[in-house]
Amino acid sequence: MSDGGVSSLSSLPGAAASASAVGLYARATPGFEERVAASVAQLREAAERFGAGLIQSSSLGAEDMVITDLIARHGLAIDIATLDTDALHAETLALLPQIEARYGLSVQVFRPVAEQVVHFVKTHGERAMYESLALRKACCGVRKLEPLGRMLAGRTAWITGLRREQSQNRAEVPAEELDGQGRVKLNVLADWSWADVWHYIATHQVPYNALHDQFMPSIGCAPCTRAISVGEDFRSGRWWWESEDAKECGLHQARSNEELKSGATA
């Protein structure tokens, strides 16, 4: 564990011995079963409380694959959706048919408006995200925020895989919060550790992104994700050219419905 409670490769036994994410990260820790039970209880209560107004917003990352497994394993009537930004790795998109085959669940896919993507790239170029923080956030706005607005339209609550351990910016993530648009956001793994996530994956043989085996613990769009090195923090491979306090895309920042519809990131 590195300073601030953020996972790093150097903190894990066997880091040099195995390139498997399960081998690197999975280990049983005290209270694991209790944390799993609490997450299941929160999901079950949410399904009863919000009914058809509830959706899991999945990044297809390790945490969200755990949540999907919990939903399927316990037969919970919760819709699942994801954002295909048109800039994801093939390994990320490969999880969609795996989820359907493994669980018999269909994942709703929300994509950016094609004309907006074309206009952004034509105006700012393919490498705009590297040019300035404003342009990178504008790219996230087009590819993520606007589709998220459509995903959440008509919903009263959504489920995320945010954990307090993920970064300094997320250190105070609560189990439940309001998202700024009148919806409840449920962070059902808020108090799980990275070791918990992978212990669950190993125990239940949950499908996961093959890029996790290539030292990519946090995976986003392909241009904005790289492998991390020994000693680097969990999210160092995301927007690595930016300062630590800028490393969010806006999906988990409270903002108005109008901002979501427009894809605004400011």
Side-chain angles (χ1 to χ4, degrees), residues 156-195:
T156 52
W158 52 306
I159 299 163
T160 84
L162 293 184
R163 295 184 300 109
R164 298 180 190 121
E165 189 191 59
Q166 287 170 333
S167 70
Q168 299 284 5
N169 291 335
R170 299 179 179 182
E172 305 298 326
V173 166
E176 180 176 322
E177 60 185 321
L178 294 176
D179 69 357
Q181 295 91 44
R183 302 181 189 91
V184 173
K185 184 162 71 169
L186 302 163
N187 307 310
V188 299
L189 304 184
D191 62 350
W192 285 42
S193 69
W194 190 227

Side-chain angles (χ1 to χ4, degrees), residues 44 114 162 173 224 231 236:
R44 194 182 304 279
L162 293 184
V173 166
C224 300
S236 295

Side-chain angles (χ1 to χ4, degrees), residues 21-115:
V22 169
L24 282 174
Y25 307 124
R27 60 188 194 279
T29 57
F32 171 76
E33 296 297 339
E34 290 80 2
R35 288 188 287 279
V36 173
S39 295
V40 172
Q42 187 180 6
L43 286 168
R44 194 182 304 279
E45 191 273 338
E48 295 174 355
R49 178 178 166 194
F50 299 105
L54 179 64
I55 193 167
Q56 181 199 0
S57 174
S58 174
S59 69
L60 303 175
E63 290 91 347
D64 285 307
M65 294 302 296
V66 166
I67 294 171
T68 295
D69 186 90
L70 290 171
I71 289 170
R73 186 171 300 277
H74 295 278
L76 302 177
I78 299 174
D79 290 338
I80 303 168
T82 193
L83 303 177
D84 177 359
T85 66
D86 288 337
L88 297 180
H89 300 86
E91 293 87 345
T92 301
L93 295 173
L95 285 166
L96 294 172
Q98 292 183 53
I99 291 171
E100 184 169 357
R102 172 71 178 271
Y103 304 114
L105 297 175
S106 177
V107 180
Q108 300 174 44
V109 179
F110 290 82
R111 295 182 172 86
V113 177
E115 292 81 1

